[in-house]
């Protein structure tokens, strides 16, 4: 499979394989990657990944593993065995969990990118306080991103608002995969902290997860082309 250089990852948030593949077939695997999340994977299983690989797509398997070190390492190895381009764990699993995952990947010389989720953007400062995380969400994001980097992760999932700070702390080479992307003329929907594709890249995001702005468009490839033009 040829390496592609686009930052765009299209979220295939569907509950069945035919719907996911109908959207995939409207997209060009040379111009975007795709993301398979918990709903599609739990309903369809690895067949979803295989069908997308058969169509030439690189896949981000977004299952956010969080378990004891040996179990999490087995899960990321299973994802890498399936040939996915990227997968992820929760940084809250701690240093030993992330190190075990990174070690398993490097021992087997997998090329799969392994990134960490720091703090779910859905959590408010009050909710974080309730689960024992004192201080701001931003401080916790920074702490966990640095721990993830020290533990061998290749990057983090983060909001574009966090990318600039994480670029300062973790460098350009540390991947910053950013959802909550809306084109300047796009619908906001249920997202709160949104940014345009060009602003997110300028802030330091290395990859952009785009869902409905492309998948709900009447012409998905035209929507994707408009995003490409905005970030040249
Ligand atoms: O449709 P939209 O562009 O909002 O989709 C964004 C995708 O990124 C969805 O798959 C969503 O679950 C995911 N995501 C997010 N915010 C996060 C983490 C993941 O929107 N903090």
């Amino acid at each position: 499979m040829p390496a592609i250089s686009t930052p765009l990852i299209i979220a295939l948030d569907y509950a069945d394989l035919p719907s996911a593949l109908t959207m995939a077939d409207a997209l060009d695997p040379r111009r975007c990657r795709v993301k398979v999340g918990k709903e599609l994977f739990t309903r369809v299983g690895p067949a979803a990944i295989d069908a997308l690989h058969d169509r030439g797509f690189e896949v981000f398997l977004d299952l956010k593993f969080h378990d004891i070190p040996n179990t999490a390492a087995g899960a990321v190895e299973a994802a890498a065995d399936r040939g996915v381009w990227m997968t992820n764990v929760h940084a809250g699993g701690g240093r030993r969990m992330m190190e075990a995952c990174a070690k398993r990947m490097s021992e087997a010389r997998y090329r799969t990118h392994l990134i960490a989720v720091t703090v779910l953007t859905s959590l408010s400062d009050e909710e974080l306080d309730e689960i024992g995380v004192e201080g701001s969400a931003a401080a916790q994001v920074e702490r966990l991103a640095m721990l993830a980097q020290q533990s061998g992760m290749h990057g983090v999932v983060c909001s574009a608002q966090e990318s600039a700070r994480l670029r300062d702390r973790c460098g350009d080479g540390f991947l910053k995969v950013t959802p909550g992307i809306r084109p300047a003329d796009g619908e906001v929907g249920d997202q709160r902290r949104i940014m345009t594709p060009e602003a997110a890249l300028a802030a330091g995001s290395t990859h952009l997860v785009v869902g409905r702005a492309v998948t709900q468009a009447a012409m998905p490839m035209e929507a994707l082309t408009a995003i490409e033009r905005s970030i040249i």
Side-chain angles (χ1 to χ4, degrees):
M1 200 184 294
I4 58 171
S5 63
T6 175
L8 299 176
I9 303 170
I10 308 303
L12 296 179
D13 292 322
Y14 296 99
D16 61 86
L17 190 55
S19 304
L21 294 183
T22 298
M23 179 49 56
D25 287 337
L27 300 171
D28 183 343
R30 292 164 301 181
R31 290 166 56 189
C32 63
R33 298 183 172 91
V34 289
K35 178 170 90 70
V36 171
K38 285 189 166 96
E39 183 180 14
L40 183 62
F41 189 81
T42 302
R43 289 196 181 275
V44 178
I49 300 171
D50 295 347
L52 292 163
H53 282 163
D54 287 347
R55 285 163 169 73
F57 286 96
E58 293 189 334
V59 175
F60 170 17
L61 184 62
D62 179 20
L63 296 183
K64 303 183 180 71
F65 299 120
H66 189 171
D67 216 309
I68 59 171
N70 192 51
T71 303
V76 296
E77 184 174 12
D81 265 339
R82 209 87 204 170
V84 301
W85 164 76
M86 173 178 277
T87 192
N88 56 2
V89 300
H90 269 285
R95 183 189 296 274
R96 278 195 304 118
M97 186 203 77
M98 289 189 279
E99 283 178 350
C101 292
K103 185 162 177 268
R104 193 76 73 91
M105 299 295 246
S106 64
E107 275 172 0
R109 298 179 188 277
Y110 286 115
R111 294 174 59 211
T112 301
H113 297 294
L114 185 56
I115 63 171
V117 176
T118 56
V119 177
L120 292 172
T121 49
S122 54
L123 289 171
S124 65
D125 283 352
E126 292 73 41
E127 285 175 300
L128 285 171
D129 196 52
E130 221 170 23
I131 58 169
V133 178
E134 288 164 8
S136 68
Q140 183 70 357
V141 166
E142 206 172 305
R143 169 196 288 255
L144 289 177
M146 293 180 70
L147 180 65
Q149 188 173 39
Q150 290 162 14
S151 308
M153 298 295 100
H154 302 130
V156 286
V157 180
C158 65
S159 79
Q161 278 84 355
E162 294 152 0
S163 290
R165 182 81 184 129
L166 295 184
R167 179 171 54 187
D168 289 346
R169 300 308 301 262
C170 304
D172 286 327
F174 193 60
L175 304 179
K176 295 157 209 82
V177 178
T178 297
I181 298 297
R182 291 290 178 278
D185 58 354
E187 298 266 330
V188 173
D190 57 359
Q191 291 282 14
R192 290 288 169 273
R193 296 191 291 155
I194 56 167
M195 216 182 256
T196 62
E198 55 272 45
L201 290 176
S205 296
T206 58
H207 295 86
L208 309 177
V209 176
V210 182
R212 287 159 291 182
V214 166
T215 61
Q216 302 291 303
M219 310 280 262
M221 269 315 283
E222 281 190 13
L224 191 138
T225 303
I227 295 175
E228 285 176 336
R229 291 211 178 103
S230 75
I231 58 179
I232 290 171

